[in-house]
């Protein structure tokens, strides 16, 4: 015992310093362990939250094309509205489902409930379906989704591709404070009200109907000359085209129209719809409609005259 007391008295300072260091190391280790545990919990929670969003196939909140995000309120409102539409269709509540469509969609595609039943409901909802959504584009008060309707049990199929599945693109528009729906790849209709002319030929572009994979321009053409004209002979889709930024060209489906539809008698006005091969992209803007090789005298075209008089008309959009 005397030896221990003697050793303590002789090494008291060293012993106290050693004990203090050991205690400090233990405290540091405990603090590090606590920090690691806390970080692991945060990472776990983040992973869990991410998994919930990723697996919620009826409430997407981020565009797969542009990465733009909806607010939580927009996500909830739009997903609830789509769910309501699908539920009405599954329950064969035609009146309720039809009333969720915009007036433009009805006019454009389904002017009567009978046409809506025949061309949409009977094509998809012969039996109960589930669905999953992908948000494609989102601009102010306009959200476009890719919707896949799955027949059968979605949990059993895992959402895998099937010949019985049906893919559509639907767009929610907020009008007067409430949502309405465009379906069957119809995005929306836009007013244009632009015009251009040359040598007595006047072209008024009234509006356009935007679909996922094309656009239809509704226009009025006025022939103020004293001869029958031919707007296009249908041989070159670029003769009737849209021009975008960086001189990108979107060709028309002008060859689908008979020559008679593109012929205008003297002092005659005609309305026409021209389809253009323009895929819907929110960042892709059209600047000009261009019509080249307009025959000012259709007789010259009919008789294959080499020096037939032709003009170009541009409409700045």
């Amino acid at each position: 015992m005397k030896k221990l007391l003697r050793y303590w008295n002789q090494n008291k300072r060293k012993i106290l310093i050693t004990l203090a260091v050991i205690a400090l190391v233990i405290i540091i280790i405990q603090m590090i362990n606590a920090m690691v545990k806390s970080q692991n919990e945060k990472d776990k929670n983040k992973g869990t939250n991410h998994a919930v969003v990723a697996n919620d196939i009826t409430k997407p909140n981020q565009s797969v094309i542009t990465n733009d995000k909806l607010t939580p309120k927009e996500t909830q409102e739009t997903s609830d509205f789509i769910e309501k539409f699908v539920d009405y269709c599954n329950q064969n509540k035609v009146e309720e489902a039809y009333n969720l469509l915009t007036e433009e969609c009805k006019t454009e595609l389904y002017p009567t409930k009978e046409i809506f039943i025949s061309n949409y409901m009977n094509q998809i909802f012969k039996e109960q379906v589930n669905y999953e959504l992908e948000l494609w584009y989102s601009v102010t008060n306009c959200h476009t989704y890719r919707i896949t309707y799955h027949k059968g049990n979605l949990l059993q199929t895992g959402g895998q591709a099937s010949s019985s599945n049906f893919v559509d693109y639907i767009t929610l528009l907020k009008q007067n404070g409430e949502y309405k729906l465009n379906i069957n790849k119809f995005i929306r209709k836009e007013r244009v009200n632009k015009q251009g002319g040359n040598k007595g030929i006047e072209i008024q572009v009234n509006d356009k109907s935007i679909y996922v994979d094309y656009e239809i321009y509704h226009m009025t053409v006025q022939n103020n000359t004293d001869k029958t004209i031919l707007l296009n002979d249908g041989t070159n889709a670029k003769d009737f085209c849209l021009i975008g930024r960086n001189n990108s060209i979107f060709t028309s489906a002008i060859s689908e129209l008979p020559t008679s539809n593109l012929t205008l008698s003297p002092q005659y006005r005609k309305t026409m719809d021209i389809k253009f091969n323009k895929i819907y992209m929110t960042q892709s803007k059209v600047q000009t409609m261009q019509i080249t090789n307009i025959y000012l005298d259709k007789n010259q075209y009919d008789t294959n005259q080499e020096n037939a008089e032709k003009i170009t008309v541009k409409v700045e959009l």
Side-chain angles (χ1 to χ4, degrees), residues 295-313:
Y295 287 84
L296 287 178
D297 185 353
K298 185 174 181 295
N299 183 61
Q300 293 179 336
Y301 166 79
D302 293 335
T303 56
N304 295 318
Q305 293 186 24
E306 292 184 2
N307 297 318
E309 185 179 7
K310 294 182 283 187
I311 64 167
T312 294
V313 174

Side-chain angles (χ1 to χ4, degrees), residues 37-198:
K37 183 178 179 181
S38 176
Q39 186 61 45
N40 287 339
E41 288 295 329
K42 290 181 180 179
D43 292 342
K44 182 179 179 181
N45 290 335
K46 286 182 179 178
T48 301
N49 291 337
H50 177 72
V52 169
V53 173
N55 290 331
D56 197 343
I57 59 177
T58 62
K59 290 181 173 62
N61 70 340
Q62 184 170 358
S63 167
V64 299
I65 306 297
T66 65
N67 290 324
D68 292 332
K69 286 188 176 183
L70 300 181
T71 66
K73 181 181 179 182
E74 288 174 328
T75 302
Q76 190 65 48
E77 289 179 348
T78 56
S79 59
D80 286 350
F81 192 88
I82 294 171
E83 182 180 9
K84 182 192 297 186
F85 175 74
V86 175
D87 285 346
Y88 283 155
C89 292
N90 271 329
Q91 298 171 41
N92 200 33
K93 294 183 177 181
V94 177
E95 183 82 24
E96 291 85 347
Y98 188 69
N99 287 338
L100 297 185
L101 304 182
T102 67
E103 293 303 316
E104 290 176 348
C105 185
K106 293 175 184 177
T107 301
E108 190 89 5
L109 298 173
Y110 309 109
T112 67
K113 285 180 285 188
E114 289 70 27
I115 294 176
F116 172 62
I117 293 170
S118 175
N119 294 352
Y120 199 80
M121 289 193 65
N122 286 351
Q123 303 300 317
I124 303 171
F125 298 95
K126 289 183 179 179
E127 59 184 86
Q128 293 281 307
V129 303
N130 294 289
Y131 68 96
E132 61 179 308
L133 295 173
E134 289 180 308
L135 179 61
W136 276 50
Y137 290 106
S138 178
V139 294
T140 304
N141 294 327
C142 181
H143 313 294
T144 299
Y145 294 85
R146 183 181 190 268
I147 184 170
T148 303
Y149 294 105
H150 296 274
K151 297 181 180 179
N153 190 318
L154 190 59
L155 294 177
Q156 292 179 354
T157 63
Q160 296 300 312
S162 168
S163 59
S164 63
N165 292 343
F166 186 93
V167 176
D168 190 14
Y169 292 83
I170 62 177
T171 298
L172 271 75
L173 298 175
K174 199 165 191 178
Q175 302 174 334
N176 300 319
E178 65 176 2
Y179 283 106
K180 288 290 185 177
L181 189 64
N182 289 332
I183 59 176
N184 202 6
K185 298 185 178 182
F186 176 55
I187 305 294
R188 64 180 180 273
K189 202 165 185 176
E190 283 187 4
R191 185 69 176 163
V192 178
N193 194 28
K194 300 290 184 178
Q195 61 184 8
N198 188 11

Side-chain angles (χ1 to χ4, degrees), residues 208 215 217 242-245 250 278 284-289 317:
K208 63 179 178 179
E215 292 183 354
Y217 280 70
L242 301 174
I243 301 175
R245 295 172 180 171
F250 306 97
K278 182 183 181 303
S284 177
K285 304 298 182 183
V286 172
Q287 297 177 326
T288 307
M289 176 185 290
L317 303 172

Side-chain angles (χ1 to χ4, degrees), residues 242-290:
L242 301 174
I243 301 175
R245 295 172 180 171
N246 301 318
N247 291 321
S248 55
I249 293 177
F250 306 97
T251 59
S252 66
I254 199 71
S255 61
E256 297 177 1
L257 297 177
T259 301
S260 58
N261 283 20
L262 300 169
T263 301
L264 276 81
S265 301
Q267 305 300 319
Y268 188 77
R269 176 182 295 177
K270 177 180 287 188
T271 59
M272 59 181 63
D273 300 334
I274 306 296
K275 178 179 175 182
F276 293 90
N277 301 309
K278 182 183 181 303
I279 296 174
Y280 177 60
M281 293 181 289
T282 55
Q283 303 303 318
S284 177
K285 304 298 182 183
V286 172
Q287 297 177 326
T288 307
M289 176 185 290
Q290 179 173 280

